[in-house]
């Protein structure tokens, strides 16, 4: 007897509404443009600065915002330093373009360890200033901001 699953992964079903997508992507790119050469940020760190779009349930936003940042980075215009955004493990996410991303980061002085990780404590970007975030309608994360933990 063959069993079929009726459960479907919710990730495939939850996406940004079309009306919120363009503004969300623009906000992601505004922040990514601030990351200086020789520094990296993570999808999750950028997501911390983004306000929840009005048309999105807060619970969905909190669960999927980092993934949506990844979608925005995959669709970014050429003036966005896409290579400077990596995953929370300090690694480049596996996808087409990953080798190019590593090459670009190494050319900026980013060092990878033998596990293909970047030391986020050493190379992580501390993010925009609270004044910039406030002036541009972004969220100021609680505490010291969104500094990244070290991996070694």
């Amino acid at each position: 007897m063959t069993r079929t699953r009726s459960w479907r992964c919710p990730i495939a079903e939850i996406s940004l509404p079309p009306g919120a997508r363009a503004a969300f992507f623009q906000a992601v790119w505004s922040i990514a443009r601030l990351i200086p050469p020789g520094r990296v940020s993570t999808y999750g760190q950028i997501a911390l600065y983004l306000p929840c779009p009005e048309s999105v349930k807060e619970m969905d936003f909190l669960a999927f915002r980092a993934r949506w940042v990844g979608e925005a980075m995959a669709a970014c215009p050429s003036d966005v330093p896409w290579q400077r955004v990596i995953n929370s493990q300090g690694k480049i996410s596996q996808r087409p373009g990953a080798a190019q991303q590593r090459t670009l980061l190494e050319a900026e002085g980013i060092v990878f360890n033998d596990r293909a990780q970047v030391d986020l404590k050493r190379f992580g970007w501390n993010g925009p200033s609270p004044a910039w975030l406030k002036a541009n309608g972004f969220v100021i994360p609680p505490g010291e901001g969104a500094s990244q933990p070290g991996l070694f």
Side-chain angles (χ1 to χ4, degrees), residues 28-142:
V28 169
W29 301 335
S30 293
I31 293 171
R33 285 182 181 105
L34 299 174
I35 305 168
R39 296 286 179 200
V40 294
S41 184
T42 66
Y43 302 108
Q45 178 186 6
I46 291 173
L48 288 174
Y49 305 127
L50 303 170
C52 182
E54 288 181 22
S55 58
V56 176
K57 294 178 189 171
E58 185 175 4
M59 186 172 72
D60 291 342
F61 178 72
L62 294 174
F64 297 102
R65 62 187 175 179
R67 184 175 302 273
W68 294 338
V69 169
E71 289 179 25
M73 294 308 299
C76 70
S78 61
D79 68 321
V80 176
W82 60 273
Q83 74 275 12
R84 297 182 191 144
V85 183
I86 60 177
N87 69 35
S88 63
Q89 297 174 8
K91 293 183 174 185
I92 293 171
S93 298
Q94 292 303 309
R95 65 183 183 337
Q100 180 188 15
Q101 185 174 11
R102 181 173 177 144
T103 300
L104 291 169
L105 288 172
E106 288 175 333
E108 293 182 6
I110 302 290
V111 176
F112 290 80
N113 69 12
D114 58 353
R115 295 181 311 257
Q117 291 175 298
V118 172
D119 180 354
L120 295 172
K121 188 172 263 185
R122 180 175 172 198
F123 295 105
W125 177 55
N126 289 329
S129 71
W132 186 92
L133 290 167
K134 185 176 180 181
N136 289 281
F138 290 96
V139 174
I140 300 171

